[in-house]
Amino acid sequence: MIKFFLMVNKQGQTRLSRYYEHLEINKRTMLEAEVIKNCLSRSKDECSFIEYKDFKLVYRQYAALFIVVGIDQTENEMAVYELIHNFVEVLDKYFSRV
């Protein structure tokens, strides 16, 4: 199950966030800061899946934008990785030149 969906730029600013489980605002802020730090600090040669606390992070970089999805342990990482790509393709078709 997907727990959250984040779109973040290279400077670490959240551009879009969607949570599918209730979290208090201060916990969301702390979670986003830690998740962003973990994803931005990795090189392009490293895997796009990260074990983080009680869930997994799946992220993908498109130019200056990172898309990060938090999932539970039972979810398929490759399926979510492809979901991110399909989401970006839909945005590109709808808005052109995403």
Side-chain angles (χ1 to χ4, degrees):
M1 183 172 109
I2 295 176
K3 294 187 175 212
F4 60 86
F5 186 91
L6 300 173
M7 291 178 76
V8 180
N9 65 10
K10 276 191 172 180
Q11 289 76 35
Q13 300 169 322
T14 303
R15 296 299 178 194
L16 173 91
S17 66
R18 175 72 177 149
Y19 290 84
Y20 298 100
E21 291 182 350
H22 177 71
L23 279 176
E24 296 176 11
I25 296 297
N26 57 350
K27 288 184 180 178
R28 283 185 186 187
T29 306
M30 288 180 8
L31 176 72
E32 285 180 21
E34 292 176 17
V35 165
I36 291 167
K37 183 182 72 157
N38 283 338
C39 292
L40 293 179
S41 65
R42 294 172 67 91
S43 71
K44 289 188 177 192
D45 297 333
E46 293 182 274
C47 181
S48 295
F49 311 136
I50 303 172
E51 294 281 335
Y52 179 76
K53 293 188 180 179
D54 62 340
F55 52 90
K56 299 176 190 175
L57 301 174
V58 179
Y59 72 94
R60 198 157 183 175
Q61 181 181 3
Y62 292 93
L65 188 69
F66 283 82
I67 299 175
V68 184
V69 179
I71 58 174
D72 62 8
Q73 297 291 340
T74 61
E75 193 69 44
N76 185 343
E77 298 95 344
M78 287 303 293
V80 174
Y81 193 73
E82 284 299 313
L83 173 77
I84 294 170
H85 185 68
N86 288 337
F87 177 72
V88 171
E89 284 184 352
V90 169
L91 288 177
D92 189 46
K93 291 282 186 193
Y94 188 78
F95 292 108
S96 71
R97 295 182 353 157
V98 169

